[in-house]
Amino acid sequence: MNKIIILLVVRVLLFSANVNSQNKILFVTSNQDFYGNTKIPAANHFEEIVVPYDIFIKAGYTVDFISPKGGAIPIGYINSSDSLQKKYLYDGWFMDKLEHTKKPTEIIPSDYVAIFYSGGGAAMFGVADDSAIQKIATTIYSNNGIVSAICHGTAGIVYLKDEKGKSLYAGRKITGYPDAFENKNAEYYKAFPFSIDNAIKQNKGNFVYSEKGGDAFYSVDGRFVTGQDPSSGNKVANEVISILKIDID
């Protein structure tokens, strides 16, 4: 009888762990406070975090946050007149998660069904070349998970490669904040370590974007879901959910 009870407990625990792993999404953020070596403040885009976060949470997913160094991350581009942003800005539990983001070493990739790279100028620094985050993303993808990004968050995926060293998104359509909308003469842009457009193209991806901008442009190609700018946050999150539901069904 005791053996039967033990087996039942183990099965329940394994089932619980499996269910939990099917409902977790990992958000990637940056610790960068300034644009490169300048004194120009950089930040993670608050709207690009809270809009997808709210959609994922309401759909029943658990969201964890990581950054290259872990701990507090700078946030900016805040519109306190927006009801959703205001809601989360005064949500102590949520803001505590942004103050205590996890380190990559604390993450078990198999626990997540998707990874999402949020944007903001800070996203251009420290994320793309972080080998631990790269490994997490490629593992999630190889486990049939989704790689998603928005705006400058797309910078985080530019160097992703498979186990053979081939670009993970070779031949796929990818969008992000385009050079066409950047002020190339500005000091912030000169501090960028690379151009998102060019980096995607150099790594065999097909960079696409809307010349209009602010029109919620996004791209879905296989298990890559990317958005051009903050206006696409809603659609990117819902597309991720739609793909996950199809895979589960």
Side-chain angles (χ1 to χ4, degrees):
M1 180 62 72
N2 288 337
K3 289 184 178 180
I4 294 175
I5 292 175
I6 291 173
L7 285 173
L8 287 173
V9 170
V10 170
R11 288 180 179 178
V12 168
L13 290 173
L14 289 173
F15 176 77
S16 177
N18 183 59
V19 170
N20 187 46
S21 67
Q22 295 302 311
N23 287 282
K24 297 184 74 173
I25 296 175
L26 187 63
F27 273 40
V28 181
T29 59
S30 171
N31 302 106
Q32 190 75 15
D33 291 306
F34 300 97
Y35 282 84
N37 295 320
T38 74
K39 292 300 180 182
I40 305 171
N44 295 273
H45 202 294
F46 197 57
E47 180 184 0
E48 292 173 6
I49 292 175
V50 299
V51 170
Y53 178 88
D54 188 67
I55 291 171
F56 290 140
I57 291 297
K58 288 179 178 176
Y61 293 91
T62 296
V63 173
D64 287 333
F65 291 90
I66 65 166
S67 60
K69 299 177 183 177
I73 59 169
I75 59 170
Y77 315 91
I78 300 170
N79 177 8
S80 58
S81 296
D82 178 81
S83 59
L84 185 65
Q85 292 187 51
K86 185 176 181 179
K87 168 189 171 183
Y88 281 107
L89 188 60
Y90 290 98
D91 184 330
W93 184 81
F94 172 77
M95 295 302 291
D96 186 70
K97 294 186 74 170
L98 298 186
E99 188 176 355
H100 299 90
T101 62
K102 297 178 181 294
K103 295 179 180 179
T105 52
E106 298 178 78
I107 299 300
I108 300 174
S110 59
D111 284 349
Y112 300 89
V113 294
I115 187 168
F116 172 79
Y117 292 77
S118 63
M124 293 294 301
F125 305 92
V127 178
D129 53 359
D130 189 291
S131 60
I133 295 178
Q134 290 174 6
K135 186 174 181 180
I136 290 170
T138 54
T139 301
I140 290 173
Y141 187 76
S142 65
N143 287 339
N144 207 39
I146 298 170
V147 173
S148 57
I150 186 171
C151 204
H152 288 92
T154 296
I157 75 171
V158 297
Y159 300 134
L160 296 184
K161 300 182 184 299
D162 62 20
E163 65 280 356
K164 296 181 180 179
K166 178 183 177 183
S167 171
L168 206 62
Y169 52 83
R172 297 197 179 279
K173 292 180 180 179
I174 301 292
T175 192
Y177 201 74
D179 269 353
F181 294 163
E182 300 279 15
N183 182 353
K184 296 180 182 179
N185 294 317
E187 291 305 308
Y188 84 86
Y189 181 81
K190 294 177 182 178
F192 282 175
F194 54 80
S195 154
I196 294 176
D197 299 38
N198 293 337
I200 293 295
K201 293 173 184 176
Q202 290 171 2
N203 286 285
K204 313 300 181 183
N206 178 15
F207 188 83
V208 296
Y209 70 96
S210 165
E211 294 183 358
K212 182 178 180 180
D215 57 350
F217 182 82
Y218 69 101
S219 173
V220 178
D221 197 339
R223 287 181 285 115
F224 280 90
V225 183
T226 50
Q228 179 171 320
D229 55 46
S231 66
S232 62
N234 185 297
K235 291 189 175 181
V236 168
N238 280 303
E239 284 291 345
V240 169
I241 292 171
S242 295
I243 296 173
L244 289 175
K245 286 183 176 179
I246 292 173
D247 289 342
I248 292 174
D249 294 343

